[in-house]
Amino acid sequence: MLKNLKLTIMKKTLLLFLASAFFIVGCKKNELSDENELLTQKAITNFSENTPVRKCASYEVLQQQLKDDPTLSARLKAIEDFTEKYINRKLEARLVNGVYEIPVVVNVLYNTTAQNISLTQINSQIAALNADYSASNSDYALTPSIFQNVQSGNTNIRFVLDAIVRKSTTTKSFSTNDAMKKSSTGIAPSSPTTKLNIWCCNLSNGILGYAQFPGGASSTDGVVIDDNAFGTTGTATAPFNKGRTATHEVGHWLNLRHIWGDATCGSDLVNDTPLHNVANYGCPAAGHKSTCTGTPVEMTMNYMDYTDDVCMYMFTAGQKTRMLAVFAAGGPRNSFAQP
Ligand code: ARG
Ligand code: CA
Ligand code: ZN
C-alpha cells in the first residue's frame, strides 16, 4: 500500500517534470523559429515588398527522415567525417588540381649513428624525387635531340614528406628478404595503401635499392634504398648521390620495368623507349647503339637503366602514361588517388 502510494507520487512527479521540460523546449523552439521568421521576413522585405515567402523544406524533411529511419544518422555521421577529412586534407593520398600527391613515410633503420641520416638528407631525397618526377631537374635539358620528342615532361606526381620513423638495429646489413619491413626485425610500413613507405638502411652485396611492384602484399609495399644512395647529401656517396636510386625504385613501384626488359633485347612494355641489349652501367658515350632489331640508339639516360646518377635524367611520355595508369579507377594504386 505504502509502496503503491510512493510509486504513484513518483509517477506524478515524473509526469510533471516531463511536461515542464516539454514546455520549456517547445517554448524555446518557438522563440527560435519566430526569430528566424523575422530574419527571413527582413531579408525578403529587403529583396522585394511583394515577393511571397519562400521556404526550402529540406531541413524539415531531413528531421522527419531521421525520426523515421534509425540508421540514417550513422550514415550522415560518416558523410560528415569524410567531408571534414576532405576539407582538412590530412596528408591522405590525394589528387589535387590534377597532381597526384603521394605522402611519403621514411623508415630509417640504423646500426651506426651515421646511418641515422639527418632530416636534411631526407629532405634532399624528397626534393630530388620532386625535381625528377616534374622534369624540373637541372639536367633534363641534356636529353639528346633524338629523344626530345618522347620526353615525359611533368608526370604530375608529387611527393610530400609525411613522417619519419627511426629505429636502431643490431643488423649490420639487410638482404632483399624484406626483414627491414617487419616490426620484429625492422619497421612495419605505415598506412601502405595510402602512403609510400621508403626504408633507408644498409643493404648487402652492393645493392642500391629495390622496390615492390603494384599488386604485392601491402605489408611489404614500398621501396628500400641503401643509406649511401639516399638523397643528395650526408651519407650519399658518388656516383649514387643524386637521389636517383629512389627515382628508379619509385618507377618500379609505379609499375615501370627496366628499360632492357630484364632480358636481352627484352620489352619494358613501353612503346616509346628503344630496345636495349642489356643494362648499361657508368656513363655510356652518347649515341651508344643496341644490336637488337633495328639497332636503335639506346636511351641510357633513362631513369630505368642502371647508369650512374649524373647520367640518368629522364622518363618518356610512354613511361608517364604507364605510371599514371596505376592511379586510375580500377588501377592497383587507385587508393592513392582519392581526395
Ligand atoms: N636496383 C638497382 C641496383 O641496385 C638500382 C639502380 C639505381 N641506379 C642508380 N644510378 N641510382 O643496382
Ligand atoms: Ca650502404
Ligand atoms: Zn631496378
Side-chain angles (χ1 to χ4, degrees):
M1 191 58 188
L2 205 79
K3 224 183 177 182
N4 266 347
L5 190 76
K6 234 186 180 173
L7 257 174
T8 321
I9 290 169
M10 271 174 77
K11 267 186 195 163
K12 274 194 177 159
T13 319
L14 191 69
L15 268 172
L16 205 79
F17 174 75
L18 280 175
S20 52
F22 182 79
F23 180 75
I24 291 164
V25 171
C27 208
K28 276 221 171 122
K29 222 181 175 180
N30 275 339
E31 272 169 16
L32 253 177
S33 55
D34 280 354
E35 209 171 281
N36 278 342
E37 209 87 277
L38 246 150
L39 280 171
T40 314
Q41 286 292 358
K42 235 185 184 172
I44 288 163
T45 313
N46 282 346
F47 174 64
S48 157
E49 299 277 11
N50 301 317
T51 315
V53 178
R54 284 195 188 174
K55 268 188 166 179
C56 173
S58 307
Y59 187 74
E60 286 74 9
V61 171
L62 177 66
Q63 296 309 308
Q64 190 56 49
Q65 287 180 342
L66 279 166
K67 270 187 204 153
D68 297 345
D69 180 356
T71 66
L72 180 56
S73 82
R75 290 203 299 280
L76 288 186
K77 167 116 174 44
I79 292 169
E80 280 322 306
D81 289 349
F82 174 85
T83 308
E84 193 192 2
K85 230 160 77 179
Y86 181 89
I87 291 166
N88 292 342
R89 292 220 184 274
K90 293 175 189 151
L91 282 178
E92 297 271 325
R94 56 206 179 159
L95 178 55
V96 183
N97 300 327
V99 175
Y100 297 93
E101 291 193 356
I102 313 288
V104 177
V105 177
V106 177
N107 302 296
V108 181
L109 281 159
Y110 60 95
N111 179 251
T112 66
T113 50
Q115 286 165 1
N116 192 13
I117 59 167
S118 67
L119 173 62
T120 306
Q121 188 170 351
I122 291 169
N123 282 330
S124 78
Q125 180 60 77
I126 302 291
L129 280 168
N130 282 323
D132 290 352
Y133 277 82
S134 63
S136 59
N137 49 302
S138 58
D139 43 3
Y140 184 70
L142 294 178
T143 304
S145 55
I146 50 159
F147 295 136
Q148 280 172 9
N149 58 329
V150 295
Q151 280 178 295
S152 67
N154 191 344
T155 66
N156 295 324
I157 301 167
R158 221 174 85 77
F159 303 89
V160 183
L161 182 62
D162 179 76
I164 301 168
V165 182
R166 299 176 183 275
K167 194 175 176 183
S168 75
T169 175
T170 53
T171 306
K172 294 213 179 326
S173 69
F174 287 90
S175 69
T176 55
N177 69 357
D178 287 342
M180 73 290 284
K181 304 174 183 175
K182 295 178 182 79
S183 58
S184 53
T185 46
I187 302 168
S190 303
S191 312
T193 59
T194 53
K195 293 173 185 186
L196 164 61
N197 278 258
I198 302 182
W199 285 266
C200 176
C201 59
N202 189 30
L203 289 171
S204 50
N205 301 319
I207 290 165
L208 300 171
Y210 72 99
Q212 180 170 293
F213 284 94
S218 62
S219 59
T220 50
D221 199 35
V223 308
V224 185
I225 310 290
D226 182 79
D227 58 313
N228 301 118
F230 191 100
T232 60
T233 186
T235 59
T237 308
F240 305 112
N241 58 346
K242 293 277 168 212
R244 279 160 178 172
T245 300
T247 301
H248 174 108
E249 301 309 338
V250 171
H252 287 313
W253 184 77
L254 294 170
N255 212 22
L256 292 188
R257 303 286 180 89
H258 288 137
I259 196 159
W260 67 98
D262 295 289
T264 305
C265 303
S267 170
D268 63 355
L269 309 172
V270 174
N271 59 21
D272 60 5
T273 49
L275 287 172
H276 282 218
N277 280 76
V278 285
N280 290 293
Y281 294 89
C283 240
H288 161 76
K289 278 192 175 176
S290 145
T291 61
C292 310
T293 310
T295 63
V297 172
E298 294 193 353
M299 194 185 276
T300 62
M301 63 295 302
N302 191 283
Y303 294 123
M304 300 318 288
D305 205 334
Y306 266 1
T307 46
D308 287 349
D309 277 16
V310 288
C311 297
M312 50 165 66
Y313 36 79
M314 53 99 60
F315 285 122
T316 68
Q319 286 175 320
K320 168 183 169 173
T321 307
R322 197 174 151 78
M323 289 193 273
L324 293 185
V326 304
F327 297 123
R333 299 206 184 282
N334 180 244
S335 58
F336 282 82
Q338 303 304 310

